[in-house]
């Protein structure tokens, strides 16, 4: 594959796509590389991924594998980054580190090709040179790859700042406010997280996402609740809760079964968050939402009763 015949890159609409999607799309677009993104998650996506995954695999990874299945055969390469850590005490869940190898092994008989880039600051593997190597592996010159990455980082920051700015007014809303602490790949997924936030809005509640936060400020604040939490995404959520708990009436800890880091961190939070109603909600991918909606309705009623506004 050469730069004169740019490949088509498949992007699974799951997991890290919801964090790095703007970066990836802008990077490849600037290089003149076409990208194809899998469709929004559906029951079919989950069923396909579940058929491929081991039973103990978490719901989010099962969904990811379903998205990969959809892309197989429709592109030259599927991008699956290998991200280990962002430095000491800033680790990723091991599933992100092993996702490329696991997926490539599962689809080894499909003929589909995969590409990756490595981020492991403990091994001096930073994002910028990782993207340089990625672009060069596709046949592009270092100069044009560097420009594509620089432009993509600017675009990524623009999108992120716009999302933060859009959420800021919600903290001043006069309605009942609940902080929903879940990873972006859960809350942004229309099949999984949107059900939760939509139901809260229909119940007259303003859901505020804990993951939409100044990440540096959240990491700095996280030791107030957990000085030893090592998972980067979890530390961001813990820090966001520490920063915003006084501005909301309740907190929902939202996770996908059976996420190991979330199980540990959420149990810690349940023990340390005092004086505010907290609901620990674990999604397992079962069909139907009646049980989840019942728990949410009860939680909202408890908060309203506590505040004296339950009619």
């Amino acid at each position: 594959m050469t730069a004169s015949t740019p490949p088509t890159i498949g992007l699974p609409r799951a997991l890290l796509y919801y964090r790095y999607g703007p970066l990836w799309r802008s990077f490849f677009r600037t290089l003149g590389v076409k990208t194809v993104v899998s469709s929004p998650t559906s029951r079919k996506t989950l069923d396909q991924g579940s058929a491929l995954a081991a039973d103990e695999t978490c719901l989010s990874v099962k969904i990811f594998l379903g998205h990969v299945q959809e892309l197989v055969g429709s592109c030259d390469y599927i991008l699956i980054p290998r991200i280990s850590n962002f430095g000491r005490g800033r680790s990723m869940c091991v599933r992100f580190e092993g996702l490329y190898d696991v997926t490539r092994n599962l689809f080894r008989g499909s003929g589909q090709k995969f590409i990756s880039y490595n981020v492991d600051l403990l091994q001096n593997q930073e994002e910028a040179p990782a993207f340089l190597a990625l672009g060069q592996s596709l046949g592009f010159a270092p100069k044009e790859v560097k420009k594509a990455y620089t432009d993509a980082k600017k675009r990524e920051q623009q999108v992120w700042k716009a999302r933060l700015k859009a959420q800021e007014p919600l903290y001043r809303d006069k309605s009942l406010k609940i902080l929903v602490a879940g990873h972006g790949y859960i809350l942004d997924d229309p099949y999984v997280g949107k059900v939760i936030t939509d139901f809260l809005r229909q119940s007259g509640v303003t859901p505020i996402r804990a993951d939409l936060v100044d990440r540096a400020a959240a990491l700095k604040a996280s030791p107030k609740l957990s000085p030893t939490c090592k998972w980067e995404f979890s530390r961001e959520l813990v820090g966001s809760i520490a920063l915003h708990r006084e501005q909301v009436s309740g907190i929902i800890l939202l996770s996908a079964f059976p996420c190991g880091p979330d199980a540990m961190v959420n149990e810690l939070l349940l023990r340390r968050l005092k004086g505010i109603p907290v609901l620990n909600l674990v999604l397992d991918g079962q069909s139907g939402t009646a049980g989840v909606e019942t728990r949410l309705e009860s939680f909202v009623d408890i908060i309203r009763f506590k505040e004296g506004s339950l009619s």
Side-chain angles (χ1 to χ4, degrees):
M1 190 70 64
T2 66
S4 60
T5 57
T8 298
I9 307 295
L11 304 178
R13 193 191 298 263
L15 293 179
L16 294 177
Y17 175 82
Y18 289 110
R19 188 179 182 101
Y20 296 112
L23 175 68
W24 296 341
R25 295 194 306 270
S26 178
F27 176 73
F28 290 121
R29 182 171 59 249
T30 302
L31 289 175
V33 173
K34 179 183 177 181
T35 57
V36 54
V37 182
S38 55
S39 306
T41 304
S42 64
R43 185 71 208 185
K44 179 181 178 181
T45 312
L46 176 56
D47 288 343
Q48 288 182 333
S50 298
L52 291 164
D55 290 341
E56 65 271 16
T57 303
C58 74
L59 175 64
S60 299
V61 173
K62 289 178 179 177
I63 288 173
F64 174 83
L65 293 175
H67 282 280
V68 173
Q69 176 69 71
E70 180 188 330
L71 291 170
V72 167
S74 66
C75 52
D76 297 298
Y77 299 97
I78 295 176
L79 176 67
I80 306 177
R82 183 188 288 110
I83 302 181
S84 176
N85 63 76
F86 301 96
R88 188 170 302 279
R90 301 180 60 188
S91 300
M92 293 284 282
C93 170
V94 293
R95 295 195 186 277
F96 289 107
E97 188 172 4
L99 196 60
Y100 173 79
D101 297 299
V102 169
T103 306
R104 190 175 63 170
N105 182 62
L106 282 171
F107 291 93
R108 63 187 180 276
S110 68
Q112 178 64 55
K113 295 179 180 179
F114 298 87
I115 55 171
S116 185
Y117 64 87
N118 297 331
V119 175
D120 184 344
L121 270 65
L122 292 179
Q123 298 297 324
N124 297 316
Q125 297 177 340
E126 299 185 6
E127 185 183 83
F131 268 80
L132 178 61
L134 173 63
Q136 289 182 280
S137 73
L138 295 174
F140 294 92
K143 184 177 180 179
E144 54 185 334
V145 177
K146 288 180 181 178
K147 182 182 185 304
Y149 176 72
T150 300
D151 291 348
K153 287 301 289 185
K154 290 179 180 177
R155 176 57 181 164
E156 179 187 45
Q157 288 301 310
Q158 289 172 351
V159 171
W160 181 243
K161 288 179 180 178
R163 297 187 73 185
L164 294 183
K165 186 176 181 180
Q167 177 161 273
E168 286 175 4
L170 299 183
Y171 286 103
R172 300 188 294 272
D173 195 284
K174 299 301 182 181
S175 65
L176 183 68
K177 297 182 289 292
I178 292 178
L179 189 66
V180 184
H183 301 301
Y185 52 81
I186 295 175
L187 288 169
D188 277 323
D189 192 296
Y191 185 77
V192 182
K194 192 172 184 295
V195 175
I196 308 300
T197 52
D198 281 354
F199 182 82
L200 291 173
R201 291 190 186 96
Q202 292 166 7
S203 302
V205 173
T206 298
I208 302 179
R209 290 177 47 164
D211 66 310
L212 296 181
V213 64
D214 182 318
R215 289 167 178 163
L219 291 174
K220 185 177 180 180
S222 64
K224 295 178 181 179
L225 288 172
S226 175
T228 58
C229 181
K230 69 175 185 177
W231 297 290
E232 182 82 350
F233 291 178
S234 298
R235 287 182 65 207
E236 290 174 358
L237 292 178
V238 170
S240 183
I241 292 172
L243 289 171
H244 301 123
R245 58 183 295 183
E246 302 298 330
Q247 298 173 268
V248 296
S249 297
I251 299 171
I252 295 175
L253 305 176
L254 186 65
S255 61
F257 181 82
C259 177
D262 280 359
M264 296 178 66
V265 173
N266 289 354
E267 178 63 27
L268 177 146
L269 290 171
L270 288 169
R271 295 169 184 265
R272 296 193 176 179
L273 289 171
K274 307 298 183 182
I276 185 170
V278 182
L279 172 64
N280 188 25
L281 191 59
V282 182
L283 305 176
D284 60 7
Q286 298 296 321
S287 59
T289 60
V292 170
E293 291 178 354
T294 298
R295 293 191 65 192
L296 289 172
E297 186 176 19
S298 298
F299 183 62
V300 172
D301 285 346
I302 288 171
I303 295 174
R304 287 182 169 144
F305 179 80
K306 180 174 178 290
E307 297 187 347
S309 60
L310 183 62
S311 56

